[in-house]
Amino acid sequence: MSDTQPNFSTIPSLDRILKTPEGAILIETSGRVPTVAALRGLLEEARAAMVDGKTVDISEAAITQSAAIQLALAAAPSLKRVFNLTGTVLHTNLGRAPLAEEAITAMADAARGASNLEFDLATGKRGDRDVHVENLLCELTGAEAATVVNNNAGAVLLLLNALALRKEVPVSRGELVEIGGTFRIPDIMSRAGAKLIEVGTTNRTHPKDFEDALSARTGLIMKVHASNYMVQGFTASVAEDKLAEIAHGGNVPFAVDLGAGALVNLERWGLPHEPTPRETIAAGADIVTFSGDKLLGGPQAGLIVGRKDLISKLKKNPLKRALRCDKATLAALAATLKLYRDPDRLAERLPTLSRLARTAIKIRDDAEAVRGDMANALGHEFDVSVSDCAGQIGSGALPIETLASAALTITPIATRGRGAALKRLSARLRAMPVPVIGRVQGDALWLDMRCLDDIEGFRAQLLKQGSQ
Ligand SMILES: *Cc1c(COP(=O)(O)O)cnc(C)c1O
């Protein structure tokens, strides 16, 4: 402690700072209330620092500059764009499917003003929000009717509650999946008020297991796409057409949760086959649920297609009201579905599909194109190379299939403390204006270039880093 009192009179007053040209600019860009709050906080900090005997720059210029930085940070959005270079195309934590331009435009139009969301323009009466997507979904899946909710977890909840409340639902033990987070089939089943009847074993389930489980208490038979794992080896499961036959023999519906739900056969683009809603309905399913933002490449939504009488029960259920989609979602979904009417141009227009269909050769070219910029930005502590790698689709679609791809592999030159160096490097890339997200594997940080959509923006950001 010094004996002399700090001289607070040297601190500029709030009023005086606000009247400087810099203060006026802060008010102009950030508003008076946030500017005053930021400056007040900084002046208090300066006073406290002086009491502690610290030397502080209390010039008006220094204080307005600190305030400008604080205000800019506070104004930056929390939810922002990132470069997904994880190698997982449909990354749930990174927002899954990027939307097509057509969907983005439709979404913005719907968001901007009033719309005929639930208003029948022909009659002037109240309408149903499903009409904006129902015909399209029927056309694309061969179903009689369709409805849409907030996500596929909601779709399964609604389906079970509407069709199997206080009833039994036999499901194979091999399909009692946990999707990630808190979506587990047994939990959703009990929350929906249905009673799960486990049939068969983890690796083998036979038609007789389902036949034995069927009773007057059965509400429906359900099949769940084992999205994120695979039972291999000595296995048996009951085919969909057989399950449909058993369900119909017992006079109950057969429901299938498809999960990722590709709307078209992906083999056309050199990808593995994933069951489509159309095939599932053709095999005898009465009702099928799938996600909007997985392989379909649209907004987050839970799509339900199937028999008209069953869909109309779902539409009348109060949970449908609780789980319904917003107008922007419906607009984006309708625009995305329309792209499927023209499969020949789908891979150009649907970003999810164009990413999945990109060849390793093309990805390697992009990796080569940015390698030098990355090496310059990171300096001499790192080696930056281009390596072959294996990516994945993600979101539970085709879990064991990999996508041949190429990555920038960044390896710390010093062999000591590599783990820590990789952690620091990952943090540094995450702190960039558009954060870069990769994955650490072995001795390197891997940046899979399959989903690099804005190569110019990526390079420009690296050039800025390098010049710092
Ligand atoms: C992904 C998935 C869900 C959950 O879908 P969301 O759209 O994420 O709610 C449910 N069931 C299966 C089989 C899935 O693969």
Side-chain angles (χ1 to χ4, degrees), residues 92 96 150-156 177 179 183 185 224-228 257-260 289-294 300-302 395-397:
T92 296
R96 288 191 187 160
N150 187 47
N151 56 24
N152 190 32
V156 175
V177 299
I179 302 299
F183 183 86
I185 290 294
V224 182
H225 188 285
S227 303
N228 45 13
D257 173 16
L258 265 189
T289 68
F290 52 107
S291 290
D293 58 350
K294 291 185 180 173
Q300 179 188 302
S395 283

Side-chain angles (χ1 to χ4, degrees), residues 51-93:
V51 169
D52 289 347
K54 291 183 188 143
T55 45
V56 270
D57 186 349
I58 48 164
S59 66
E60 286 163 8
I63 290 172
T64 46
Q65 201 180 4
S66 302
I69 293 169
Q70 265 189 22
L71 289 165
L73 279 176
S78 162
L79 183 65
K80 55 180 162 183
R81 198 165 79 86
V82 304
F83 285 111
N84 170 15
L85 306 185
T86 59
T88 300
V89 178
L90 295 167
H91 197 299
T92 296
N93 303 141

